[in-house]
Amino acid sequence: MRTIDQLDSPAVLVDLDVVERNISTMAKRAEGLGVELRPHAKTHKTVEIGRKQLQAGAVGLSVAKVGEAEVFADAGFEDIFVAYPVIGAQKARRLLGLAERIRLLVGVDSVEGATGLAAPFQAAGRELEVRLKVDVGFHRVGVAPDKAVETARRIAEVPGLRLEGIFTHAGQSYRADSPEAVAEVGRHEGETMVEVARQLAASGIGVTSVSVGSTPTAPHAMKVSGVTECRPGNYVYHDATQVSLGTCRRDDCAMTVLATVVSTPAPDRAVIDAGSKTLASDPLRPGSGGFGWIQGGSSHLARLSEEHGVIEVAEADRYAIGDRVRVLPNHACVVSNLHDRVYGVRGEGIEAELAVAARGRVS
Ligand SMILES: Cc1ncc(COP(=O)(O)O)c(C=O)c1O
């Protein structure tokens, strides 16, 4: 078996023991609460890890892009939710192609957008299953809860569409400043969605799915009775942001980036061969903690250029030219999207080279 020390750097490593533990922990939690799990595949974008999620009981996958859905459908995944307000005639035709071979669900948050998707389905004598996005406080996309009934009613009347459910993503949890505040965001997420579903039912618009989901809020939102589905994504790898939020411990993080020290120009500065094109330059949320933590010490990356990562060397740490380090990234999902492959490791052994099959599928 090849070992990590045989790999050239930079390279993305994912610890498969940790991945499998994260998948199993979330699957058991959902099962215990009677909630279906539909993990968001944007985090790993790999067929093999998607399969592990299904083997652990997930009902299907969520994705953000039609292109991602196409990759997973080609790989044999049969139940996919494009959890994004898809817009435009070109994408509508691609959705029809997908719906002819898998069970497809698509997000909508406007009557105009939904109507635009319906045309090819109506022409083909089919119905597209859609879910209405509700904004529970992230204020990105989604209708306000008090507008949901009216929008749902109009969407349900569009020929060629079937309103299957409602969904949300409480991304404001990433701005919470304590685990208690995260829990509160999660409770609010679940309760708001269940209340919207109740109002829809009272107006004669029954929906099957009440779908919530972010990694920080999943344990809390899933506890709310009436929530039927959860779509966490990041949990499969976790990252420095989840550790900072208190969502997980450092040893629950599966992804690290292997890098080499290429320069030590000053005692408090060492430079590695991984910059923003390898690690992405997402900030640590919450707080300002640089651009990645160096494993096995207390130093962190203070600055990134495209191909340089500048370590601010902590007093107890020492780095020499040629040293190999492993960086815990701030945001694992964007790192996946930067790489053609990740190495699945157990201990020092490389068990698998996984193609990041859906990377770059941004349309
Ligand atoms: C619509 C939607 N659902 C689910 C998720 C998964 O959230 P997380 O990455 O926190 O697990 C995201 C993340 O961006 C999202 O946008």
Side-chain angles (χ1 to χ4, degrees):
M1 185 188 268
R2 275 205 299 169
T3 50
I4 294 172
D5 58 10
Q6 294 172 293
L7 281 178
D8 203 354
S9 74
V12 180
L13 313 178
V14 295
D15 186 317
L16 295 174
D17 289 331
V18 179
V19 166
E20 286 162 9
R21 193 175 73 221
N22 291 344
I23 289 174
S24 156
T25 302
M26 191 63 85
K28 285 191 185 132
R29 183 175 276 153
E31 193 187 356
L33 293 165
V35 171
E36 292 185 333
L37 206 60
R38 184 182 285 279
H40 206 305
K42 74 189 175 100
T43 303
H44 55 76
K45 289 174 174 267
T46 77
V47 168
E48 293 83 350
I49 295 177
R51 288 202 187 114
K52 284 183 194 289
Q53 290 173 315
L54 291 200
Q55 278 155 14
V59 293
L61 294 182
S62 303
V63 296
K65 296 295 178 143
V66 180
E68 292 173 326
E70 289 165 341
V71 167
F72 284 103
D74 288 347
F77 289 76
E78 292 173 344
D79 190 337
I80 300 176
F81 173 31
V82 185
Y84 193 90
V86 178
I87 296 296
Q90 293 191 36
K91 290 198 174 71
R93 284 194 291 278
R94 288 165 65 196
L95 292 177
L96 177 61
L98 279 165
E100 282 169 344
R101 56 195 178 113
I102 63 165
R103 185 202 177 195
L104 181 74
L105 293 149
V106 178
V108 292
D109 83 340
S110 67
V111 180
E112 305 89 286
T115 306
L117 298 184
F121 284 82
Q122 201 191 354
R126 300 181 66 102
E127 281 189 326
L128 172 64
E129 288 189 86
V130 296
R131 290 176 169 178
L132 176 63
K133 179 113 190 215
V134 178
D135 178 9
V136 295
F138 189 27
H139 304 325
R140 190 173 61 178
V141 293
V143 293
D146 64 353
K147 300 279 186 303
V149 171
E150 180 51 24
T151 312
R153 187 198 315 283
R154 293 177 59 201
I155 288 172
E157 285 167 359
V158 176
L161 299 183
R162 189 173 87 72
L163 183 67
E164 189 274 346
I166 53 174
F167 77 109
T168 195
H169 167 65
Q172 71 271 32
S173 57
Y174 285 96
R175 299 193 287 256
D177 56 7
S178 68
E180 295 72 31
V182 170
E184 183 46 40
V185 173
R187 269 194 300 276
H188 175 75
E189 176 183 20
E191 285 169 5
T192 306
M193 293 300 280
V194 170
E195 172 57 18
V196 169
R198 192 196 63 72
Q199 290 172 14
L200 287 172
S203 311
I205 311 165
V207 289
T208 309
S209 299
V210 179
S211 177
V212 297
S214 74
T215 292
T217 61
H220 314 289
M222 283 197 290
K223 281 192 196 136
V224 178
S225 167
V227 165
T228 67
E229 182 188 281
C230 191
R231 311 178 319 281
N234 184 273
Y235 80 100
V236 72
Y237 290 161
H238 290 124
D239 51 28
T241 287
Q242 301 294 351
V243 177
S244 306
L245 274 170
T247 305
C248 71
R249 297 176 320 234
R250 208 156 160 156
D251 61 8
D252 297 320
C253 295
M255 176 191 273
T256 51
V257 176
L258 177 71
T260 301
V261 175
V262 295
S263 178
T264 53
D268 62 350
R269 182 159 29 106
V271 181
I272 58 172
D273 59 353
S276 61
K277 285 184 172 166
T278 301
L279 289 160
S281 39
D282 284 35
L284 188 68
R285 299 172 293 167
S288 53
F291 296 95
W293 299 340
I294 312 301
Q295 298 279 79
S298 45
S299 301
H300 70 279
L301 284 169
R303 286 190 277 138
L304 298 181
S305 315
E306 287 177 55
E307 304 295 3
H308 303 75
V310 180
I311 303 176
E312 191 174 288
V313 180
E315 216 162 307
D317 296 337
R318 288 281 170 277
Y319 298 104
I321 288 177
D323 280 357
R324 310 246 287 179
V325 297
R326 284 168 73 169
V327 181
L328 178 62
N330 283 352
H331 190 182
C333 313
V334 284
V335 176
S336 291
N337 197 47
L338 293 174
H339 297 269
D340 291 331
R341 70 190 67 81
V342 298
Y343 294 90
V345 302
R346 290 194 205 269
E348 291 303 307
I350 300 170
E351 186 177 296
E353 197 172 313
L354 308 176
V356 187
R359 77 160 286 213
R361 289 305 198 107
V362 292
S363 80

